[in-house]
Amino acid sequence: MTALGDLIEIDERTVLVLGQELSVEHDQPDVANALVHRVGDTLVLVDTGVTAAFRAALREATERVGSWSRVLVLTTHGHLDHVGNNDLADEWGVPVEHYVPAPDLDQMRDPSGYWVRSFDRIVGLAPLPAPSALAGKLLSLFQPLRPFGATTRTYEELPPERIRIGSLRFTGWTFADGAVRVLRSQGHCAGHVIVHLRDCGVLHLSDEGNGPCGAMADADQLKLQTVLGSVALLFEEGEAAVLTDGHTFALRRGAEVVSYLDGLLEQATALQAATLGLTGESGQVRPSAFTTGFAERSAELGGDGANPNAMFAAMSAVNQLRELGLRPESEGIDALWSRPALRNPEPDSPKPDSPEPDSP
C-alpha cells in the first residue's frame, strides 16, 4: 500500500513522488505521480500533481536530490491531476523555465469546458449526473488549481528537434545539453509528451499506458499504441532502464518493462476483438448496451485503466465504437450506431446540352 506523497528513491539524484487514485464518491481527486531529478545544477520537475499535501511532498523531494540553482518544469499534458502545482517553481527565487504542450492550452485555461464536452458524449450511457454538474463536481476536487506560473511557455515556441535514441527517431525538444528529452507522443490526449532522463535511464510514460483504450475525446488510439511499442523497443535496446508513469505507484525495470508494455498492447487488441462481437451480425448497437459489454470485457481482460469507474468506462466505450468503425445514425440520446454504408455515389444526372457559343 502506498500513500499520497510517498517518495521512491530511484538514485541519489532522482525521486518518484507518488500520487493517489480518484474517488469522486469520497471527494478524493486523483493525483498523478511526479518525477524530481537533478542534472548538474538544474532541478527537473516532471509534472506537479495537485493538492497542498502533494505540493509539500514535492518540496521534500527537491531536498533529496542535491543542491541546484536553476529549475526546469516539464508538463506532460494538461489534465487536472498533473498541473495543479505548476506555479510551485515561482517560489524558489532562482531562474525557472516551465513548458506545457500548446495543444492542451485550451483545456488548461478552461478545464470546465473541456470536461463538459467530454461528458456530453456519454449522456445516457451511464448513471451519471448531467455533464455540467459532473464537471463542476470533478473540478471542485482539484483545488487549488494553478496550471500556469510566471515563466510558463509552450514547447512549441522552441524549434522542434529530431531526436535519435538507439534505433528510434522521435520529434520533440531537449534540455540540459541533451540529458533531458521531451518526446511527442499525443496518444492519451492531444498534447501529451513523454520524458526520457538520459543519465539515470528513466523513461516517464505519464498517462500513455493508462488503459488499452484512451478515454478522452482528444485521445488517439493509434498514437497511444505506437508509443507503447516504441518505448518497449527502447528497453529492449538498453536505451532506458526504469519505467515510471502517471498512475502506477511502483517502478518497473528492464525485461519486466517489455513484458508489461507487450501486455498493454495485447489487452488493446484483445479488447477490440472482444468488443467487435458486441456489434452483432447486423453491425448495429446502442451505445448503452455496448458500454455495459465494454466495461465487462475490459474488466475481464484487466484493461480498465488506473481509475476504473463508470465515467471513464463510458468515455472509453464511445472511443472504442469509433475505433471499430461505427458512427451514430442520428443525434438522439442512445441512438443506434452502425457502420456507414459502403457504396459508390450515384452519378450526377446528365445536364442539358448547352448551346455552342457563337463564333467570334
Side-chain angles (χ1 to χ4, degrees):
M1 297 293 292
T2 63
L4 177 68
D6 282 354
L7 306 182
I8 297 181
E9 185 175 299
I10 298 173
D11 62 27
E12 68 278 3
R13 294 186 298 157
T14 314
V15 174
L16 181 67
V17 187
L18 301 186
Q20 68 183 7
E21 295 182 351
L22 175 69
S23 177
V24 177
E25 298 82 1
H26 297 94
D27 294 332
Q28 175 177 296
D30 59 322
V31 179
N33 300 332
L35 266 177
V36 177
H37 174 67
R38 181 179 59 81
V39 53
D41 66 346
T42 299
L43 177 74
V44 182
L45 196 58
V46 182
D47 287 337
T48 64
V50 71
T51 74
F54 196 75
R55 192 182 187 96
L58 287 174
R59 283 185 168 280
E60 181 182 349
T62 65
E63 297 171 0
R64 294 264 192 109
V65 297
S67 59
W68 41 268
S69 56
R70 305 179 61 84
V71 176
L72 173 66
V73 182
L74 304 172
T75 294
T76 62
H77 62 291
H79 287 167
L80 304 170
D81 52 318
H82 293 255
V83 302
N85 292 309
N86 274 358
D87 67 332
L88 175 62
D90 295 343
E91 301 176 1
W92 281 314
V94 299
V96 175
E97 293 180 84
H98 174 216
Y99 295 96
V100 302
D104 288 354
L105 274 183
D106 288 345
Q107 63 157 298
M108 295 171 69
R109 296 176 63 168
D110 179 21
S112 178
Y114 178 79
W115 286 96
V116 167
R117 289 190 294 273
S118 298
F119 296 149
D120 276 340
R121 302 164 67 238
I122 60 171
V123 171
L125 305 190
L128 297 169
S132 58
L134 184 55
K137 170 65 174 178
L138 194 69
L139 262 65
S140 71
L141 305 180
F142 293 85
Q143 298 298 327
L145 184 61
R146 301 188 181 97
F148 302 108
T151 62
T152 303
R153 298 171 61 193
T154 62
Y155 294 111
E156 287 76 7
E157 294 175 50
L158 303 173
E161 302 175 47
R162 294 170 56 197
I163 302 170
R164 180 166 182 169
I165 308 176
S167 65
L168 294 178
R169 280 84 167 166
F170 298 89
T171 59
W173 302 270
T174 62
F175 302 90
D177 296 324
V180 179
R181 297 152 168 173
V182 174
L183 312 174
R184 298 168 70 225
S185 56
Q186 301 180 336
H188 179 69
C189 65
H192 201 291
V193 300
I194 61 177
V195 178
H196 182 237
L197 303 177
R198 183 193 63 198
D199 296 344
C200 61
V202 170
L203 192 295
H204 189 65
L205 195 60
S206 195
D207 284 12
E208 294 292 24
N210 190 2
C213 180
M216 305 310 300
D218 55 343
D220 187 311
Q221 310 303 328
L222 177 59
K223 289 180 179 177
L224 190 154
Q225 294 171 27
T226 299
V227 75
L228 295 180
S230 296
V231 170
L233 185 55
L234 289 181
F235 279 85
E236 286 182 327
E237 294 184 347
E239 298 293 340
V242 180
L243 183 73
T244 58
D245 61 40
H247 296 281
T248 298
F249 308 124
L251 307 179
R252 291 183 173 87
R253 300 179 184 271
E256 177 192 5
V257 174
V258 177
S259 176
Y260 169 70
L261 296 175
D262 282 345
L264 291 179
L265 291 170
E266 289 167 5
Q267 285 178 350
T269 53
L271 182 60
Q272 184 159 339
T275 54
L276 183 62
L278 299 175
T279 63
E281 293 184 5
S282 67
Q284 286 186 318
V285 66
R286 294 202 180 277
S288 58
F290 183 87
T291 296
T292 300
F294 175 90
E296 293 172 351
R297 303 298 189 278
S298 186
E300 290 168 2
L301 293 167
D304 42 5
N307 292 295
N309 57 58
M311 176 179 71
F312 287 130
M315 293 164 68
S316 297
V318 171
N319 284 349
Q320 187 71 289
L321 278 170
R322 290 195 171 275
E323 191 75 359
L324 294 173
L326 279 69
R327 298 295 183 268
E329 295 183 0
S330 69
E331 295 182 358
I333 293 176
D334 206 27
L336 284 169
W337 285 52
S338 62
R339 298 184 184 280
L342 303 180
R343 59 174 178 267
N344 293 323
E346 295 295 329
D348 294 336
S349 301
K351 298 178 180 178
D353 292 336
S354 300
E356 293 292 332
D358 294 336
S359 299

